[in-house]
Amino acid sequence: MNASPSHRPHPAEWTETQSLLPSAERDLPAGRHEFHKEQMMARIHEDLRTSSRTSSRTSSRTSATSPVAPVKRSNPFLRRTILLPAAALALAGAVAGGLALTDGGTQDDTTALATGPALTTRIGAADAEGAPQLLDRISLAAADTSAPTPRKGQYIYIASKVADTYIKTVGGKSEAVSSELHSRQVWNSLDGRDGWLIEAGETSDKGITLKSNVPFSGAYNALAGLPTDPAALLRKIYQESDAVRDPEVPRDQAAFVAIGDLLFESYPPAEVGAALYKAAAKIPGVVAVDDAVDATGRHGVAIARESDGERTEWIFDKKTLRFLGERVVVVKAKAGDLLKVGTVTHTSAITERAVVDANKQLPGQVS
């Protein structure tokens, strides 16, 4: 993927976004950090703060005195823990141990979290009957083997744009606000033990190293060993997600979320990617959506699932069925909830996915 969106895109489906303030960032992608959020994320941010001096802003989000806090989501399932990508798993691994994060530079610890009006969108129509057929077509597209197969010693590079929505409380008054769309770059070794992360506002400009002495199943090598039979693959996903999900989270939603993370920040072999979509078709409650837009404004069709008033959407190009990104949208309002119908609580877009020869090397660079 070679798309190069501008620094300040204006997605066609967003409203009230023109005056977003700069430098508003998130901790981990919203909807991907929700298993025992307060306890887990506080410890992750503490490790980041002491290791790299880059997270005083993010760690303050879990403080009782902070004027801005992440939206308290009803789905406390920590994505990127089982079968999930290296970069965020490495951050979560800071809690479990066996991980070193080293700063590539310095950053002003006094930077304040800047936010703008809440992102909103038009909600596309859902079609439960159309989901299996659409997923079958997406699976066929994913089975294309023209993408390069990584070689030993190479790294998976993924660039994306992301933004999140928060609840901001100042002087006893709360409102929904959104962070500015910002860039994220991740490099992962094939075994998941080594990598690099650069995320605007979350790391220094040079980034931080991600190292783990424990291999994990979201790395390319582990993905390559997953079952390619959709039924067997789905059984494994349920088994792994059941081991970490909060009891309040429906297991079907946890499985859907886990598959979605494999699509976003990883590089599964073609046959595994195709099996993931066929596995998703077997999850109850999955629907097709006629129109959705990613973080950079690209329209597409979506595969989605609703849970507790929010719909998680995987967005695909309408013609090529290539995966574009993901968003989470409020589709049912709750009494007294500041997140109204149409609020985008998380949005992301993959802008480039490639195999490179070295850590921190950009696609096209000579090693």
Side-chain angles (χ1 to χ4, degrees):
M1 182 180 291
N2 297 313
S4 300
S6 63
H7 179 65
R8 294 295 301 274
H10 298 286
E13 291 298 311
W14 294 359
T15 60
E16 303 178 344
T17 59
Q18 289 79 4
S19 59
L20 290 178
L21 299 177
S23 302
E25 313 300 343
R26 62 169 189 17
D27 38 15
L28 294 176
R32 304 170 187 275
H33 54 192
E34 300 156 353
F35 173 62
H36 301 315
K37 180 177 179 59
E38 290 81 2
Q39 296 83 3
M40 181 74 80
M41 292 309 297
R43 284 178 284 173
I44 291 174
H45 291 318
E46 177 61 18
D47 280 352
L48 284 172
R49 182 181 66 80
T50 57
S51 299
S52 64
R53 295 179 53 80
T54 63
S55 65
S56 66
R57 176 175 62 263
T58 54
S59 61
S60 69
R61 296 178 193 169
T62 56
S63 168
T65 59
S66 175
V68 181
V71 172
K72 171 61 177 174
R73 306 287 296 282
S74 58
N75 177 3
F77 176 70
L78 177 62
R79 305 166 70 161
R80 306 182 183 276
T81 314
I82 300 296
L83 297 172
L84 302 180
L89 175 73
L91 292 178
V95 177
L99 173 70
L101 298 101
T102 305
D103 189 17
T106 59
Q107 182 171 324
D108 184 3
D109 284 348
T110 64
T111 304
L113 179 67
T115 52
L119 304 174
T120 60
T121 189
R122 183 178 67 247
I123 298 173
D127 175 17
E129 294 183 358
Q133 181 181 9
L134 178 57
L135 278 165
D136 186 59
R137 293 171 52 214
I138 292 171
S139 178
L140 289 173
D144 179 9
T145 58
S146 61
T149 299
R151 303 186 309 272
K152 183 179 179 179
Q154 290 186 310
Y155 285 73
I156 305 302
Y157 169 80
I158 298 173
S160 61
K161 295 281 188 177
V162 293
D164 301 308
T165 295
Y166 303 94
I167 297 300
K168 176 182 179 181
T169 301
V170 176
K173 181 179 179 181
S174 299
E175 62 177 331
V177 296
S178 295
S179 63
E180 183 187 30
L181 192 71
H182 64 279
S183 63
R184 176 181 171 91
Q185 295 173 286
V186 176
W187 290 261
N188 292 314
S189 63
L190 302 188
D191 62 4
R193 294 175 181 268
D194 185 38
W196 194 262
L197 168 67
I198 301 175
E199 182 164 0
E202 297 299 333
T203 69
S204 68
D205 291 341
K206 294 182 180 179
I208 56 175
T209 186
L210 303 174
K211 288 186 178 295
S212 175
N213 58 14
V214 180
F216 68 100
S217 52
Y220 178 86
N221 289 348
L223 290 173
L226 288 176
T228 55
D229 173 74
L233 178 57
L234 186 59
R235 284 195 299 271
K236 183 173 181 61
I237 289 171
Y238 273 118
Q239 179 183 8
E240 300 286 2
S241 60
D242 282 347
V244 297
R245 71 179 175 90
D246 188 284
E248 295 182 3
V249 179
R251 67 192 306 263
D252 291 333
Q253 180 66 10
F256 184 81
V257 164
I259 293 175
D261 277 314
L262 286 177
L263 301 174
F264 185 76
E265 213 164 65
S266 66
Y267 191 90
E271 61 273 17
V272 174
L276 284 168
Y277 292 118
K278 290 183 178 180
K282 298 178 180 295
I283 299 176
V286 172
V287 300
V289 178
D290 64 346
D291 185 64
V293 63
D294 73 5
T296 61
R298 298 176 296 192
H299 284 259
V301 293
I303 291 296
R305 194 178 190 282
E306 180 185 334
S307 180
D308 201 23
E310 292 187 344
R311 192 166 75 188
T312 301
E313 301 176 341
W314 308 337
I315 305 170
F316 302 86
D317 183 273
K318 291 183 178 181
K319 292 182 178 180
T320 66
L321 298 180
R322 176 173 48 102
F323 180 76
L324 298 179
E326 182 186 61
R327 70 177 182 180
V328 182
V329 182
V330 177
V331 293
K332 290 183 181 178
K334 299 178 181 179
D337 197 339
L338 293 174
L339 301 179
K340 305 304 181 183
V341 172
T343 300
V344 179
T345 59
H346 169 70
T347 184
S348 64
I350 296 292
T351 56
E352 191 163 16
R353 195 190 304 257
V355 177
V356 295
D357 291 332
N359 199 8
K360 297 185 283 184
Q361 181 184 40
L362 293 174
Q365 283 184 337
V366 178
S367 58

